[in-house]
Amino acid sequence: MKIALARSLAGFCLCACASLLYVSTGLVEIGHGRSKRSLGAPGAAFLTRQPDKQSPKTFRALLEGHVVHKPRFSAHKNMNNHTGYRSFTGNLKVEQTNLNTHNSNHQQVHTGLHGLVEDGVFWSDRLESLLPSGFSNAHAQSWKSETRGSQIVSLEKGCGRTSNRLARFSNGTKACVRYGINPDQVQGETLSYYLASLLGIPNLPPLVLSQVNPNSEQWARVRGEVMDSQWSEKAVVSLTEWVANLTGVVTPAPLRQEGRRLHPLREDLDNRTTGEVLELVQWTDLILFDYLTANFDRLVSNVFSLQWDSRVMERDTSNLHKIPSGGLVFIDNEAGLVHGYRVLEMWQKYHDTLLSSVCLFRKITASRIFDMHRRQDVAARLLILYRDSEPLAPELGFLSEDQARILQNRVDQLYKHILNCKEKYSQS
């Protein structure tokens, strides 16, 4: 009886500790100050960042990284003078698929790989034709132009962190204004968006940058709200399109537990409706994208939390939503590229676990990864697209040379991973 009682008490204490740790990961950041940003200039040299030597922390606490000096644009000849880059970004067209998916298609049940997989590891053209179109390039350009030319008429609390705001514009549209704990987060959000454009991943809402200035035409009508927000004047913030009717998304069964995988195998894809398979197609893009950006604040944080919460994958995934058509929306990418790279050592094994779980890919995503590997130019392409698209890019800055190398290395790792999957599963 005493032994049983002792075991019960020990179990209760263990559960209580685990619960406290889990709750701590979800605490909202409150009351953090923000230093005023210095201004960058086009053509300034990269400033190399040294990774912070941080002790392990929960993933939410890691988002509160130290404010560090931002790198400027590089004048390095290898990053600015590659022939062909401007024509590449100028002609970039994100291939969009048709949003012509009927309920009957979504209810169809598949019992094998026929019609789903081509060349061993690629989702079929038929599936690609059924995918929700996402945020098209034409829509993004129109939204950006209208947003830059519209006045903000109100700022309300919303869009996640307490420092963020939901902005309403004079043209009737709404946007999430993200004011990061430090400039790294706005930079990570912005560069992640443009990297997704390079990859042909249409799941991120359109984004523009704006500089907080109560005396400017865009911000004049919300001068009081800006003062109440305690934002630093002249701070660069990101504005992303507000999307209505979003619902939560649970990790699909093939990826829900450690050791599971989504490979081109009958047992992974059997007895799934077309709608479920279309969602899996988008999940494979998400995992590759989060690997490239080292974003730990989405699925990776769930894998981390499995240590004390075996059911974390059965709840909605952070920073991932779904629109009624079935399209997934990747939001809040603040941890990507900049901050994610600085704390990469802590999270790398979880990124590796997720990457190894996937051996199915969209053709366009794989082809662009192959091209970026062949040309060894992903940072240069990203810089040009970002600089040509964002008038405020010089103010926010770009990746450091170390971060650019990490990005290219991760492209190369994805290239090797896709080749390994092809070698294992392709028939040719």
Side-chain angles (χ1 to χ4, degrees), residues 43-238:
F46 275 116
L47 298 180
T48 304
R49 292 187 189 179
Q50 297 299 323
D52 291 348
K53 302 298 183 182
Q54 299 186 31
S55 58
K57 299 178 181 179
T58 59
F59 65 90
R60 292 293 174 190
L62 284 170
L63 285 178
E64 304 175 18
H66 301 296
V67 177
V68 295
H69 296 292
K70 65 176 182 179
R72 312 293 207 269
F73 286 113
S74 173
H76 196 286
K77 62 181 179 180
N78 289 337
M79 296 301 293
N80 283 312
N81 296 326
H82 294 269
T83 52
Y85 287 160
R86 189 166 300 279
S87 61
F88 175 88
T89 57
N91 296 326
L92 180 65
K93 294 182 180 179
V94 179
E95 289 83 346
Q96 300 297 328
T97 51
N98 298 323
L99 187 58
N100 186 22
T101 52
H102 303 291
N103 290 334
S104 58
N105 288 335
H106 283 261
Q107 293 305 315
Q108 179 182 347
V109 176
H110 294 280
T111 57
L113 301 180
H114 180 69
L116 301 182
V117 180
E118 296 174 1
D119 195 19
V121 296
F122 298 114
W123 296 111
S124 69
D125 290 337
R126 187 182 75 84
L127 278 179
E128 291 271 358
S129 71
L130 295 175
L131 278 172
S133 60
F135 301 95
S136 70
N137 190 44
H139 168 76
Q141 295 307 317
S142 175
W143 184 88
K144 290 180 181 184
S145 178
E146 290 181 4
T147 300
R148 287 193 174 107
S150 298
Q151 280 190 317
I152 301 173
V153 297
S154 71
L155 288 175
E156 306 167 6
K157 290 186 177 180
C159 296
R161 186 177 294 112
T162 56
S163 60
N164 296 343
R165 293 293 184 270
L166 176 64
R168 297 178 186 271
F169 289 84
S170 56
N171 65 356
T173 62
K174 292 185 283 188
C176 283
V177 184
R178 290 190 168 84
Y179 178 95
I181 293 171
N182 63 59
D184 285 358
Q185 294 177 329
V186 177
Q187 195 178 71
E189 175 90 14
T190 304
L191 295 179
S192 292
Y193 170 76
Y194 285 106
L195 180 61
S197 296
L198 287 180
L199 291 167
I201 296 176
N203 299 80
L204 282 69
L207 175 149
V208 295
L209 295 176
S210 182
Q211 193 164 36
V212 178
N213 181 1
N215 298 317
S216 69
E217 184 177 356
Q218 184 170 52
W219 292 89
R221 292 177 63 178
V222 291
R223 181 179 289 107
E225 290 96 324
V226 169
M227 300 301 292
D228 291 343
S229 70
Q230 297 184 342
W231 291 347
S232 298
E233 190 172 345
K234 303 297 184 181
V236 177
V237 296
S238 66

Side-chain angles (χ1 to χ4, degrees), residues 312-355:
V312 64
M313 294 290 199
E314 299 172 25
R315 292 187 285 275
D316 289 348
T317 305
S318 298
N319 301 325
L320 182 66
H321 296 283
K322 187 192 300 185
I323 57 178
S325 68
L328 299 186
V329 183
F330 309 167
I331 66 167
D332 290 348
N333 298 287
E334 296 170 322
L337 291 171
V338 184
H339 189 55
Y341 286 176
R342 193 165 65 246
V343 296
L344 183 57
E345 184 175 349
M346 175 181 176
W347 298 100
Q348 183 59 46
K349 64 178 180 180
Y350 304 106
H351 288 293
D352 289 340
T353 296
L354 282 169
L355 181 61

Side-chain angles (χ1 to χ4, degrees), residues 403-421:
Q403 291 161 350
R405 281 193 292 268
I406 293 172
L407 175 58
Q408 185 63 55
N409 177 260
R410 295 180 86 74
V411 167
D412 298 342
Q413 291 302 314
L414 288 187
Y415 168 79
K416 293 176 184 177
H417 176 69
I418 296 171
L419 283 187
N420 289 337
C421 288

Side-chain angles (χ1 to χ4, degrees), residues 299-314:
L299 192 58
V300 165
S301 63
N302 283 357
V303 176
F304 172 74
S305 299
L306 281 172
Q307 298 171 86
W308 59 80
D309 184 1
S310 62
R311 303 190 66 180
V312 64
M313 294 290 199
E314 299 172 25

